[in-house]
């Protein structure tokens, strides 16, 4: 297994370079003028201002030159400077990433726990009313668009009933705690602000449920299929014949083995949500990587677009590696194969 990990780590920089190259070229040949976000539309007719801006941001160089400079800087940990914020992209991403990770982790907990619960009910009571209801809930989570779910959730629970707060990470009248980790729940606790922690937790509920429902549908369908296969195995029949209770058979014998195939989808789903939560972050005004990517795309902020893509690509590569390690740790047959 160590050889596999080392081999993956050696290949990872080349895969990341391919992602960077494809993203850089696509961004460069996209129609639009990034100078609009740099100097404003009013100054586009001023030749001196345009020339100075192109020289300042390297837009007067050829595409191969810009690519070589970018890769060289990237190798030294420099993702460039954002056209829009005028800050280093790495700094922007470091400020935005904790908000996205906090949302994604909560959504994954909701999705994984809910999906596994639905799968257990559906598999144990196959073809019953409970099975049909569980499959319908999972299907809705997979099919309904998250932007529609987000808008409906805001309308019902924030506007109509006012059970939960609206967009943002904190109430607009609340004072944000000192930034220590970037995770609002953690920072409020470190600051001893219990009211702020409760407020941050309440703001997390709606976006986590909306984003987690899509994960729930994927997990439920995959684990259900695995559970049905496992429940038909001889060792399950033997466990029941020995007098093992229903709950012990389901959780200890069946679920433990049915979860192994789900590790792959959980790993990739987590990596996808880091940059794939664009719509949810936009609807709930969540200051994360997704909303940053939308703002960068609107202003043709090439360094920011490429930086977000690098984070997403790196997330997928690391998730793939960790998933393989977890799969091998959970399944002895995989350890023998590697």
């Amino acid at each position: 297994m160590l050889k596999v990990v080392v081999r993956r780590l050696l290949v990872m920089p080349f895969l990341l370079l391919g992602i960077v190259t494809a993203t850089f070229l696509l961004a460069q040949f996209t129609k639009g003028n990034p100078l609009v976000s740099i100097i404003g539309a009013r100054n586009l007719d001023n030749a001196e201002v345009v020339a100075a801006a192109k020289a300042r941001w390297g837009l007067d160089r050829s595409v191969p030159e810009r690519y070589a400079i970018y890769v060289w800087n990237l190798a030294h940990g420099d993702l460039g400077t954002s056209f829009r914020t005028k800050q280093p992209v790495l700094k922007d991403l470091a400020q935005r990433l904790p908000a996205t990770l906090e949302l994604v982790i909560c959504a994954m907990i909701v999705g994984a726990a809910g999906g596994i619960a639905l799968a257990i009910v559906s598999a144990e009571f196959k073809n019953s009313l409970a099975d049909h209801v569980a499959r319908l809930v999972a299907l809705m989570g997979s099919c309904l668009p998250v932007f529609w779910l987000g808008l409906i959730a805001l309308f019902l629970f924030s506007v109509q009933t006012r059970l939960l707060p609206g967009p943002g990470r904190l109430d607009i009248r609340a004072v944000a705690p000192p930034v220590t980790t970037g995770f609002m729940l953690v920072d409020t606790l470190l600051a001893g602000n219990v009211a702020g922690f409760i407020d941050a937790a309440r703001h997390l509920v709606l976006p986590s449920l909306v984003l987690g429902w899509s994960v729930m549908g994927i997990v439920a369908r995959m684990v259900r299929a695995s559970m049905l296969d496992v429940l038909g195995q001889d060792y399950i029949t033997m466990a029941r014949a020995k007098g093992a209770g229903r709950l012990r058979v389901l959780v200890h014998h069946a679920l433990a083995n049915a979860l192994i195939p789900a590790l792959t989808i959980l790993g990739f789903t987590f990596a996808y949500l880091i940059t794939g939560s664009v719509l949810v972050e936009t609807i709930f005004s969540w200051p994360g990587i997704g909303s940053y990517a939308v703002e960068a795309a609107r202003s043709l902020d090439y360094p920011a677009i490429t930086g977000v893509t690098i984070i997403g690509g790196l997330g997928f590569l690391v998730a793939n590696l960790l998933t393989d390690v977890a799969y091998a740790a959970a399944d002895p047959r995989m350890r023998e194969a590697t």
Side-chain angles (χ1 to χ4, degrees):
M1 192 63 202
L2 181 60
K3 293 181 180 179
V4 175
V5 173
V6 173
R7 193 184 312 131
R8 291 287 184 87
L9 291 176
L10 292 175
V11 174
M12 195 176 293
F14 299 99
L15 295 174
L16 196 59
L17 179 62
I19 295 172
V20 170
T21 302
T23 306
F24 184 89
L25 294 177
L26 287 173
Q28 297 298 320
F29 293 109
T30 300
K31 291 183 179 181
N33 190 354
L35 290 174
V36 175
S37 62
I38 298 175
I39 61 176
R42 295 181 179 180
N43 293 319
L44 290 179
D45 295 331
N46 191 324
E48 293 182 1
V49 174
V50 170
K54 285 184 176 181
R56 163 68 178 83
W57 297 97
L59 297 175
D60 56 342
R61 300 175 182 270
S62 64
V63 173
E65 284 183 288
R66 294 203 297 268
Y67 173 74
I69 293 172
Y70 185 82
V71 172
W72 173 261
N73 292 336
L74 181 63
H76 292 79
D78 183 7
L79 296 179
T81 303
S82 170
F83 294 162
R84 187 177 54 84
T85 65
K86 307 300 187 292
Q87 289 192 128
V89 173
L90 190 60
K91 182 179 180 181
D92 284 343
L93 294 176
Q95 293 173 345
R96 298 270 192 151
L97 187 59
T100 294
L101 288 178
E102 187 172 48
L103 174 60
V104 169
I105 290 172
C106 291
M108 287 296 297
I109 292 174
V110 171
I116 291 172
L118 289 176
I120 292 175
V121 172
S122 183
E124 177 65 13
F125 303 101
K126 182 182 177 182
N127 294 328
S128 66
L129 178 61
D131 179 25
H132 296 319
V133 172
R135 292 168 67 183
L136 177 62
V137 173
L139 183 64
M140 291 174 63
S142 301
C143 297
L144 294 178
V146 291
F147 69 87
W148 184 84
L149 287 175
L151 293 173
I152 294 298
L154 277 175
F155 179 74
L156 291 178
F157 298 104
S158 181
V159 177
Q160 291 293 101
T161 61
R162 298 187 179 182
L163 293 175
L164 292 169
R169 301 182 74 187
L170 283 175
D171 189 272
I172 57 175
R173 296 163 294 183
V175 178
V179 178
T180 304
T181 64
F183 292 82
M184 193 63 68
L185 295 177
V186 178
D187 288 347
T188 50
L189 286 179
L190 292 177
N193 188 353
V194 178
F197 174 82
I198 296 174
D199 186 31
R202 294 181 74 241
H203 276 81
L204 262 172
V205 172
L206 283 182
S208 297
L209 288 176
V210 171
L211 195 59
W213 198 358
S214 60
V215 179
M216 188 187 303
I218 299 172
V219 173
R221 288 186 298 165
M222 176 164 286
V223 175
R224 178 185 183 274
S226 299
M227 284 282 291
L228 289 175
D229 179 63
V230 170
L231 287 173
Q233 299 296 320
D234 292 339
Y235 66 87
I236 297 295
T237 305
M238 178 65 70
R240 286 172 171 165
K242 288 183 176 180
R246 170 181 285 183
L247 185 61
R248 180 173 178 79
V249 170
L250 286 176
V251 177
H252 183 73
H253 296 285
L255 183 61
N257 292 282
L259 282 180
I260 294 177
L263 288 175
T264 303
I265 195 65
L266 285 174
F268 280 109
T269 300
F270 184 85
Y272 165 75
L273 290 182
I274 292 177
T275 53
S277 56
V278 174
L279 295 175
V280 173
E281 290 190 3
T282 302
I283 292 171
F284 289 94
S285 299
W286 201 262
I289 295 292
S291 58
Y292 181 73
V294 172
E295 295 163 1
R298 286 174 177 171
S299 57
L300 288 180
D301 191 345
Y302 298 152
I305 294 172
T306 310
V308 171
T309 307
I310 291 173
I311 292 296
L314 184 62
F316 270 103
L317 294 176
V318 172
N320 188 22
L321 176 62
L322 295 180
T323 299
D324 288 344
V325 173
Y327 206 107
D331 191 345
R333 296 171 299 180
M334 288 294 298
R335 291 198 295 270
E336 295 176 1
T338 56

